[in-house]
Amino acid sequence: MTRVTTLRQVESLVSEAAERLGKIDVAARRNYVSALLLLKRCSDVFDESRSRVHARELARTGDAAEAAEAAADPDEYTDVIFVPPESSWPRLLGVTNMVGPALNGALQGLEKYNPDLANVLSHIDFNRDTGGARLRDAMLTDLIRLFNDVSLRNADLEFPELIGDAYERLLAMFAGSAGAKSGDMYTPSPIVRLMVQLAEPAPDQTLYDPCAGSGGMLIESRRYVADHHPGKSLHLALAGQELAPLQWVSARLNLLFHGIRDADVKLGDTLSDPQHVDGGGLRRFDRILSNPEFSKGYDAKAVEAKGYGRFTYGTGVKDGDLMFVQHMVASLAGGGLAVTVMPHGVLFRSGREEVIRRGLLADDVIEAIVGLGEGLFSGTGIPACLVLLRAPGGKPAERRGRILIVNADREYRPGRARNHLGEEHIEKISAVCREWREVAGFSRIVTVGDVLADDANLNIRRWVDNSPPAEPQDVSAHLYGGVPVPEVDALRPAFAAFGLDAGDFFVPLDEGYVDVPADGPAGTAARIEELAAGAAAELSDRCGAWWNECGSALLEVRDLGAVTVKRHLVTSFGGALASQRVMDEFTLTGLAAQWWIDHLEEVQALAAGGPRRVVESWAAAVRAKFQARSGRGGRGPAASSREAREQPLAIALIPGPLEKARVAEAAFAELDAQVKALSEEEETATPAAERRRLTKARTAARKLRDQAERELPARFADAVGGVTDKDAEEIVLAVLGADLVSRFDARVADALRLLVARYRSIVDKYEVSLEELEQDRWQAAERLTGFLTKLDYPRRVKRRMPEKPAL
């Protein structure tokens, strides 16, 4: 099999490059790494194109000099970045002195010959004084050599979008390390995907982001159109504006790495100097997506000077949040839709903000509001919301005079640094908004009139309260014992999902109350788990059967397109398991959607080169781990070896050698433990001969272990080389199917644990009644009295002391 450059390799490359740059500020490091990635990528792609041009002209003319002249002509390269000699990677590899100026010259060369890069790369300066010192030649030379280790030619990439995906992850990495100011750099990709799904951009539309940041909204919108309307992605015209120069550079490079060279992204302050104007007014767009920096101040006089009739609902507010909202409304074409991130304060703050909000409501431009959970954005823990806006009169007729309010502040997966919006949450929010659907405790449709009558207050919890109901407390049960039957009835649906009757795990006590069976709470809980295991296994079998029937559709992604295959798999998965009651519809389909997103790299590789490309990519990951193990004289970190042996591809291809290595490692570990135990005992406790025998046996076991370890890379390489196309199909389907079934099983196991926890909770709540406590207290008092009597300390009869006479 051929070797490919994988996404993980490129991610590792840019991550190591950023780390080598040390403590240089985030924006500078980001752009230095971006520039090196750009130079290497452009040079590699240009070399591919130049070889084709040269071969074509040589075949046409038979003249080597004429072919060389054509290959050096910039006009021959309309679909790739033209790379002049001063910008070529081989030339940069040979530079050892004045490396910074050489890199700057290479960037200038790209700008000179490629008009769409004009004034973009000049913002990156490798001679910049960073923290009192310039970048040393040795550091820059090392970085150039580091990038030289990875081929970025199109022919070698795991899938075409790889460089763009790697760059987005670079931006995410820097956003995570940039502290409190990183929120205006990067919007997490799940939030972007949700916003694009709500906007549903289509071919022949225009899309605009007035706060473009790193360009993620524009890129995801183009990707959405490419997925849903194959071959028509270029029919979505992109525009944007960004205030910060270095951020603007990141946006332009991000677009370029994704193959987007026609986006009209300008530099400047959108509020005080909007760049997208036609004559005396703003340009109008069909879709607007944006995440303005929260509560950012603005120059009121400059904004007023270039108002363009944008701020008809009011001015004079301290922060720019509602100024951006007004700008977006004014920039919408008739029937257009804007989706923007906003802090919750814009929904309820009083004063001038209330005046603006009343104007927006009166003109019926607010279509929906989605409250998001806390901690979803880099650099800020405060919750935010999405506001969906229409131009005046632009709402669909059936939605006029009404607003959909969605309280999704509980829809997230907790994380250490920040929380994450999962695909199940995206699926739920987008489905509810698309279907304009009311879900109890989640979404509600309210009238504009009701909101205006309530002080124009759009506070989400005011309209959709998703607070959990108070824990029921039965006073009689607390006083006299037993578990109330209504609380048992509340458990019945969860028990029924596993084919159980909640009543079977209680015994009658008296009217309206039941008790725990004789085996007690712990025994009964264990019995619940044992009886539910059969239902869980049956559900797992159903999931596996669905995959065996439908999973092969994954192999058709190359012909049918990713969206078609994803829709088929997610829909059929939900249909096949719809009758189960362990998960609701959104959790079930969201599980499949999350699996798809987590394996998007494999999906893209399937689309680019079929199952063999996926196996090649997995093989590259295993080889990298084996190489880490075999580095430095054959002894490397044990963790890397374990990771290599635990890879599904290694398990599938070399089960025998892996088992041999496992047995050898276990034998050595046992002997090593015995020898170490000897060192902790007295010298005379074990005969010297026995000590020598064990030590010698340990040495032999270590050799066998090391030999088995050393054989693994070669055995794996041989096995990979023997993989046929049919083998590759079977391996890919087996590995990806097993992962989906494993995720499903984990959700079922979580539901079972929750069921047992709920059972134990109500049992424990009423386990000890007041009556029992009083009985225990009386018995304890009796025991204490008896004990004191035996010690000849009987209780005294207290007599009232005579009162002292008054003075």
Side-chain angles (χ1 to χ4, degrees):
M1 281 192 170
T2 58
R3 297 198 176 192
V4 300
T5 298
T6 68
L7 177 60
R8 292 175 187 175
Q9 284 179 286
V10 181
E11 285 179 346
S12 176
L13 168 70
V14 296
S15 177
E16 184 174 349
E19 186 176 341
R20 290 191 185 187
L21 283 167
K23 297 182 179 179
I24 297 171
D25 68 83
V26 167
R29 271 193 297 155
R30 182 185 68 219
N31 284 333
Y32 289 153
V33 175
S34 302
L36 290 167
L37 183 64
L38 176 71
L39 288 166
K40 182 63 164 66
R41 169 66 170 164
C42 289
S43 187
D44 282 4
V45 173
F46 179 72
D47 285 346
E48 282 183 299
S49 296
R50 184 172 55 187
S51 296
R52 287 194 294 269
V53 171
H54 187 276
R56 183 197 70 202
E57 291 303 305
L58 186 60
R60 187 178 68 83
T61 66
D63 187 330
E66 190 170 336
E69 182 179 352
D73 183 1
D75 292 336
E76 291 283 351
Y77 304 95
T78 57
D79 57 341
V80 300
I81 299 292
F82 179 79
V83 179
E86 65 269 24
S87 304
S88 71
W89 194 257
R91 178 183 177 276
L92 292 172
L93 272 175
V95 177
T96 56
N97 294 315
M98 302 293 289
V99 183
L103 287 168
N104 285 347
L107 295 175
Q108 291 165 11
L110 292 184
E111 280 197 338
K112 178 180 177 181
Y113 287 94
N114 299 277
D116 55 329
L117 292 178
N119 301 317
V120 174
L121 304 180
S122 56
H123 290 277
I124 303 174
D125 183 6
F126 281 93
N127 282 332
R128 176 173 175 253
D129 191 333
T130 55
R134 294 177 185 269
L135 293 173
R136 294 179 289 108
D137 283 344
M139 175 184 285
L140 293 175
T141 300
D142 285 345
L143 288 174
I144 292 171
R145 290 172 180 166
L146 175 67
F147 274 83
N148 193 58
D149 290 340
V150 177
S151 171
L152 301 182
R153 290 161 27 101
N154 285 329
D156 296 333
L157 297 183
E158 180 182 14
F159 54 88
E161 298 83 9
L162 185 149
I163 302 298
D165 288 356
Y167 187 69
E168 284 194 75
R169 300 195 187 184
L170 170 71
L171 295 175
M173 177 185 70
F174 279 119
S177 63
K181 294 184 179 180
S182 66
D184 61 348
M185 285 176 55
Y186 179 81
T187 304
S189 57
I191 303 289
V192 176
R193 285 201 304 276
L194 171 60
M195 294 174 68
V196 172
Q197 286 191 31
L198 294 176
E200 296 183 294
D204 302 321
Q205 289 184 340
T206 55
L207 188 140
Y208 169 59
D209 184 350
C211 305
S214 58
M217 305 280 188
L218 304 177
I219 292 164
E220 184 61 30
S221 297
R222 184 68 70 84
R223 180 184 289 137
Y224 180 92
V225 174
D227 288 342
H228 290 77
H229 308 276
K232 295 187 177 181
S233 63
L234 295 179
H235 294 218
L236 178 68
L238 303 177
Q241 186 167 340
E242 171 54 36
L243 171 64
L246 291 181
Q247 189 74 352
W248 175 73
V249 171
S250 288
R252 294 293 301 273
L253 293 179
N254 199 9
L255 290 160
L256 180 62
F257 285 134
H258 282 85
I260 301 174
R261 300 178 65 182
D262 60 340
D264 179 21
V265 181
K266 299 184 182 296
L267 178 64
D269 188 327
T270 299
L271 288 183
S272 63
D273 188 19
Q275 298 288 303
H276 295 87
V277 294
D278 286 330
L282 298 175
R283 278 178 55 188
R284 303 299 178 95
F285 298 91
D286 300 303
R287 294 290 183 268
I288 299 177
L289 296 168
S290 197
N291 178 13
E293 184 178 351
F294 291 173
S295 304
K296 182 177 174 60
Y298 63 97
D299 186 336
K301 289 185 178 179
V303 169
E304 185 179 351
K306 291 190 176 181
Y308 291 103
R310 292 177 288 173
F311 308 112
T312 57
Y313 300 110
T315 57
V317 290
K318 177 182 177 183
D319 300 324
D321 302 322
L322 285 176
M323 302 297 282
F324 273 112
V325 167
Q326 293 185 81
H327 171 80
M328 286 182 244
V329 171
S331 300
L332 278 171
L337 173 65
V339 183
T340 182
V341 183
M342 283 284 140
H344 277 265
V346 302
L347 303 177
F348 55 78
R349 286 194 290 247
S350 58
R352 290 182 178 272
E353 291 199 41
E354 181 183 338
V355 172
I356 295 173
R357 196 165 56 249
R358 282 186 176 276
L360 295 168
L361 287 166
D363 269 3
D364 200 16
V365 302
I366 301 176
E367 180 165 295
I369 297 168
V370 179
L372 300 175
E374 61 184 9
L376 293 174
F377 292 84
S378 301
T380 178
I382 65 172
C385 63
L386 302 180
V387 182
L388 280 64
L389 302 161
R390 297 279 187 179
K395 269 190 187 180
E398 67 276 11
R399 298 181 181 181
R400 288 176 185 166
R402 301 190 298 165
I403 301 171
L404 175 67
I405 299 180
V406 179
N407 191 347
D409 63 5
R410 295 189 174 190
E411 305 295 319
Y412 62 83
R413 288 185 282 113
R416 285 187 295 179
R418 61 179 175 85
N419 297 325
H420 306 276
L421 200 67
E423 285 304 303
E424 67 185 77
H425 312 125
I426 294 174
E427 288 283 316
K428 183 176 183 179
I429 295 168
S430 58
V432 166
C433 290
R434 182 174 57 252
E435 299 166 12
W436 202 251
R437 181 172 165 188
E438 289 191 313
V439 177
F442 185 74
S443 62
R444 179 183 171 190
I445 298 171
V446 302
T447 68
V448 171
D450 286 345
V451 176
L452 285 169
D454 196 13
D455 298 324
N457 191 328
L458 285 165
N459 188 313
I460 293 173
R461 281 190 177 271
R462 194 182 189 99
W463 301 99
V464 185
D465 188 0
N466 62 356
S467 302
E471 175 73 17
Q473 301 291 342
D474 188 293
V475 176
S476 180
H478 281 302
L479 290 174
Y480 307 116
V483 177
V485 169
E487 294 192 39
V488 175
D489 290 341
L491 292 177
R492 291 187 183 279
F495 273 86
F498 288 94
L500 304 176
D501 184 346
D504 292 343
F505 302 95
F506 296 91
V507 295
L509 184 62
D510 48 38
E511 187 174 356
Y513 297 89
V514 293
D515 205 352
V516 181
D519 51 356
T524 306
R527 187 155 51 91
I528 293 171
E529 292 179 337
E530 181 181 353
L531 293 173
E538 182 183 348
L539 287 173
S540 181
D541 290 343
R542 284 175 58 188
C543 183
W546 165 81
W547 179 258
N548 292 335
E549 181 181 350
C550 302
S552 59
L554 189 64
L555 302 178
E556 301 178 40
V557 68
R558 202 172 188 175
D559 299 323
L560 300 180
V563 168
T564 299
V565 174
K566 176 188 176 184
R567 188 182 300 119
H568 168 71
L569 288 175
V570 172
T571 302
S572 63
F573 179 76
L577 295 161
S579 61
Q580 60 80 40
R581 289 173 286 176
V582 173
M583 289 169 261
D584 64 30
E585 59 174 303
F586 299 113
T587 303
L588 183 63
T589 56
L591 185 151
Q594 186 67 54
W595 166 84
W596 178 274
I597 287 294
D598 291 343
H599 288 290
L600 195 55
E601 182 179 344
E602 285 87 354
V603 172
Q604 292 171 310
L606 274 172
R612 288 183 69 88
R613 180 64 60 85
V614 179
V615 173
E616 289 166 359
S617 302
W618 287 344
V622 177
R623 278 194 298 267
K625 295 183 184 301
F626 275 137
Q627 288 169 359
R629 171 66 181 172
S630 61
R632 299 183 62 182
R635 301 193 62 80
S640 183
S641 173
R642 284 195 299 272
E643 290 173 2
R645 289 184 294 175
E646 291 168 358
Q647 292 291 312
L649 182 62
I651 294 171
L653 293 181
I654 53 171
L658 288 177
E659 177 63 15
K660 178 182 175 182
R662 187 196 66 78
V663 171
E665 185 174 36
F668 168 74
E670 182 177 352
L671 286 167
D672 186 53
Q674 292 180 34
V675 172
K676 288 178 178 177
L678 292 179
S679 66
E680 298 176 359
E681 67 179 26
E682 293 292 334
E683 188 71 25
T684 57
T686 300
E690 178 63 12
R691 288 173 176 270
R692 288 194 298 271
R693 186 192 70 78
L694 286 173
T695 302
K696 186 176 181 180
R698 181 181 66 170
T699 301
R702 179 188 289 117
K703 290 180 179 179
L704 289 174
R705 182 202 65 179
D706 293 347
Q707 177 63 28
E709 283 280 349
R710 284 193 294 269
E711 291 176 356
L712 291 178
R715 298 294 296 272
F716 177 75
D718 291 343
V720 170
V723 171
T724 65
D725 289 347
K726 184 62 177 176
D727 294 336
E729 288 184 3
E730 292 176 354
I731 290 170
V732 169
L733 289 178
V735 170
L736 297 184
D739 182 57
L740 180 56
V741 173
S742 174
R743 292 169 185 241
F744 179 81
D745 291 346
R747 285 300 184 98
V748 172
D750 288 343
L752 179 54
R753 281 192 290 270
L754 179 60
L755 171 63
V756 172
R758 290 180 63 191
Y759 175 84
R760 290 298 302 263
S761 176
I762 66 167
V763 168
D764 292 346
K765 181 168 60 174
Y766 298 114
E767 184 175 14
V768 181
S769 67
L770 177 61
E771 195 172 62
E772 290 172 314
L773 289 174
E774 290 176 337
Q775 180 70 16
D776 290 345
R777 184 180 64 180
W778 177 81
Q779 291 175 351
E782 286 293 308
R783 288 195 299 271
L784 178 61
T785 299
F787 180 69
L788 293 175
T789 301
K790 288 180 181 180
L791 293 176
D792 201 23
Y793 291 106
R795 284 188 178 274
R796 298 196 307 265
V797 178
K798 293 183 179 179
R799 296 181 176 85
R800 186 177 181 85
M801 296 291 292
E803 293 184 3
K804 294 182 180 180
L807 296 177

